[in-house]
Amino acid sequence: MTIREEQRRRVTERLAGHLLATGLSRASVRQLAAAAGVSDRMLLYYFKDKAEALSEAMAQVTSQLGQRLEASVTAGERLAPERLLAEAAQMVTGAEVRPFMALWMEVIAAAARGEAPFADIAGQVTAGFLAWIESRLDIEDPERRRATAGLILAAVDGLALLEIGAGAPAALAAAERARDVRFTP
């Protein structure tokens, strides 16, 4: 790895931490550069533009969340949909994952408004999480597995919306009830 690549990696990690701490509200080039500990010019030396810096930072955030997911349900392990939903619901309502979910809701909102580069970021992240969920479901029929993965992702994202809109107690109560959900064949 070259010195530039190593510095870019460190800047990306700092940007990811900044986004998790502040969300998208402090994502101007100047604010991103300050968070990364570099000048505006250096930020644009490492990345061609703000969109690339945000995309790389969000990829880092997604990777960090993916590591947490891997710790809860390892590769190759296939679970019944009810169990996977219950485990995911518990994880996303935990304090350590809350910043990830809050940032994700901001990315989705920015994508809905058509703000670049968030539509692309949201599409990539959604595709990645759907693939992850599908690979962990113990359902043989590919169409049913794909549809069930979509429902689980919608429920998990819904918990983040519930927490933002109604507060943590409401989201935690709903996550507890996820154990009672039954999927029919």
Side-chain angles (χ1 to χ4, degrees):
M1 182 177 287
T2 67
I3 293 172
R4 180 176 189 253
E5 291 169 336
E6 177 59 27
Q7 290 170 331
R8 179 183 160 122
R9 184 193 61 75
R10 282 196 300 261
V11 165
T12 300
E13 287 174 359
R14 289 181 194 135
L15 292 176
H18 173 71
L19 291 177
L20 284 169
T22 66
L24 298 178
S25 66
R26 296 189 185 145
S28 70
V29 169
R30 180 161 290 163
Q31 291 164 327
L32 292 172
V38 298
S39 69
D40 300 7
R41 288 183 144 217
M42 285 307 293
L43 185 72
L44 295 175
Y45 169 75
Y46 296 125
F47 306 100
K48 70 180 180 181
D49 55 19
K50 176 184 166 182
E52 184 180 38
L54 287 170
S55 293
E56 291 294 319
M58 283 303 301
Q60 177 70 28
V61 167
T62 303
S63 174
Q64 291 173 16
L65 183 55
Q67 290 169 5
R68 286 174 166 76
L69 288 169
E70 287 297 320
S72 65
V73 181
T74 57
E77 185 177 7
R78 295 178 65 127
L79 305 174
E82 297 85 359
R83 183 165 166 224
L84 185 57
L85 173 61
E87 298 221 6
Q90 290 300 311
M91 188 182 82
V92 301
T93 54
E96 72 176 28
V97 176
R98 211 165 273 132
F100 291 90
M101 298 307 290
L103 179 58
W104 176 235
M105 292 297 108
E106 284 189 78
V107 168
I108 291 295
R113 289 188 300 270
E115 295 176 26
F118 299 107
D120 289 339
I121 291 170
Q124 292 168 2
V125 171
T126 299
F129 284 126
L130 282 171
W132 185 89
I133 294 167
E134 280 187 61
S135 74
R136 279 17 179 230
L137 283 172
D138 188 18
I139 298 174
E140 293 304 317
D141 178 45
E143 288 181 31
R144 185 169 166 257
R145 186 172 54 247
R146 190 171 306 114
T148 303
L151 286 170
I152 290 172
L153 182 59
V156 166
D157 284 353
L159 287 170
L161 285 172
L162 186 59
E163 182 170 4
I164 291 166
L172 292 170
E176 277 297 313
R177 294 302 312 249
R179 294 179 220 241
D180 301 332
V181 171
R182 296 292 171 250
F183 291 83
T184 57

